[in-house]
Amino acid sequence: MEHSSNKLISVIEFKIFIAGQKTKVTEMTIMRSFALAAIATTLAGGVTAAQDRVIKIATEGAYAPWNFTGAGGKLEGFDIDLANELCRRIKIKCEIVAQDWDGIIPALQAKKYDAIMAGMSITDDRKQVIDFAGPYADSPNGYLVAKDSPLAKMPGTGQTYNLVSQRAEAEKAIEATKPLLKGKTIGVQVSTTHPVFAEKYLRGTADIREYKTTEAHDLDLLAGRIDAVLADATAIIGTLGKPEFKDYALVGPAVTGGIQGDGVGIGLRKEDAELKQKLNEAINAATQDGTIQKLSMKWFKIDIAPKT
């Protein structure tokens, strides 16, 4: 009986031990379930946060047809359409806001918004202070002049040159315009590549007058206060679409590259590497499938999609 009693006690102790282990297992299972649920909630929240993230994109709103303020104060143009398309592709909600051109980079650095899409050329000087995604377009410069002006016969009209790959030819073409430009007054927009171009190639030839917006120098050209406007050919094409400019023309050699920049890009803060990568992927995809070319033809009637 002694041994049987011991066996009985052992069986009871074993059952109690097993029950205890089951309790521990159950507690561990419950704790693990709570932990997994917490992780799942955190991950779900992260996904929701990513989906709900809103990035602000600044544009000038006064640079048609790249960007301009349309009826009812609505922002429109190539930059606006492409910005919305890129945001759709990277699955991020975007808010597009207007910002004066001369303060557009400082406001980006001050985190007033997250990106700039305003027909901004990628230049070495700008890359000292901000980064760029892209380019998403490439536009040469040109001159806007009255058809009855002597400048309408400017040599090089219809020819395109790159200051990197065709430097000698480009500079020869620029030099050929100087006799006609001698003593003339040319309007340019501040803080663009055009004052830089004029300073390098036209200093001592023409009087260069800077304006806050392209609309301002266009109005002075209409009023006869200046002889020509030096601007992106795409912006000039937009101006020529206005009835009041029916007697004006785009002339002169179209020049890209070098001090004209490496195409048009999206301005970003240097620390936003992840956003830059996503935007670059979206730009590349939109270039490959023809979306940028389609938008270019819609707004400019020419193809300024980046060459791949």
Side-chain angles (χ1 to χ4, degrees):
M1 290 292 294
E2 184 176 345
H3 296 293
S4 297
S5 176
N6 288 339
K7 287 180 181 179
L8 180 60
I9 292 171
S10 297
V11 169
I12 293 171
E13 289 175 343
F14 177 74
K15 288 182 178 180
I16 293 173
F17 171 77
I18 292 298
Q21 290 298 101
K22 285 183 177 179
T23 302
K24 289 178 182 179
V25 170
T26 302
E27 289 174 352
M28 289 174 65
T29 301
I30 292 170
M31 291 175 67
R32 187 179 292 112
S33 297
F34 275 120
L36 290 173
I39 292 170
T41 301
T42 301
L43 290 174
V47 171
T48 302
Q51 290 175 339
D52 291 344
R53 181 188 174 192
V54 177
I55 64 170
K56 285 188 176 182
I57 299 176
T59 195
E60 184 185 5
Y63 191 49
W66 289 83
N67 54 80
F68 59 96
T69 304
K74 183 181 178 182
L75 289 168
E76 299 180 38
F78 175 75
D79 283 323
I80 313 306
D81 282 359
L82 183 57
N84 286 322
E85 173 65 20
L86 296 178
C87 290
R88 182 189 68 79
R89 289 174 185 253
I90 63 176
K91 296 179 173 59
I92 292 180
K93 295 179 181 178
C94 290
E95 178 185 348
I96 303 174
V97 298
Q99 166 68 46
D100 287 345
W101 177 259
D102 55 1
I104 205 164
I105 289 179
L108 172 69
Q109 294 172 306
K111 299 188 176 181
K112 185 176 177 181
Y113 35 77
D114 306 291
I116 298 169
M117 284 189 73
M120 180 177 283
S121 297
I122 302 170
T123 66
D124 290 339
D125 285 345
R126 288 175 180 148
K127 285 192 287 187
Q128 296 296 315
V129 291
I130 62 173
D131 204 351
F132 285 93
Y136 62 84
D138 190 16
S139 175
N141 67 7
Y143 293 91
L144 176 64
V145 302
K147 290 179 180 179
D148 61 0
S149 164
L151 295 178
K153 297 179 180 179
M154 191 178 297
T157 300
Q159 301 297 312
T160 302
Y161 301 92
N162 186 284
L163 279 167
V164 176
S165 61
Q166 301 169 295
R167 182 172 178 177
E169 296 94 326
E171 293 187 340
K172 182 178 179 181
I174 294 167
E175 194 68 24
T177 67
K178 289 184 177 181
L180 280 177
L181 293 172
K182 185 70 176 178
K184 302 299 184 184
T185 302
I186 302 173
V188 295
Q189 186 182 16
V190 298
S191 302
T192 66
T193 60
H194 308 301
V196 180
F197 179 93
E199 172 67 20
K200 181 175 177 62
Y201 292 109
L202 302 178
R203 184 178 185 181
T205 298
D207 176 33
I208 306 303
R209 190 173 298 176
E210 296 188 359
Y211 293 82
K212 188 175 181 179
T213 67
T214 57
E215 292 173 343
H217 60 45
D218 289 352
L219 289 173
D220 263 13
L221 180 63
L222 275 175
R225 288 187 282 268
I226 58 177
D227 301 293
V229 160
L230 173 62
D232 280 354
T234 48
I236 292 174
I237 289 170
T239 299
L240 291 173
K242 300 175 182 178
E244 60 268 35
F245 284 93
K246 63 182 178 60
D247 295 322
Y248 288 76
L250 169 62
V251 300
V255 180
T256 63
I259 60 173
Q260 288 294 103
D262 300 320
V264 176
I266 303 175
L268 302 166
R269 289 184 290 272
K270 291 196 173 189
E271 62 267 27
D272 289 338
E274 182 180 353
L275 180 58
K276 175 182 176 179
Q277 180 183 347
K278 289 180 178 179
L279 287 170
N280 274 334
E281 290 172 356
I283 290 168
N284 290 336
T287 301
Q288 294 292 335
D289 67 17
T291 298
I292 294 181
Q293 181 186 31
K294 182 179 178 180
L295 291 176
S296 173
M297 296 304 296
K298 171 186 174 181
W299 289 105
F300 306 114
K301 312 306 181 199
I302 59 172
D303 181 12
I304 61 166
K307 304 300 181 284
T308 56

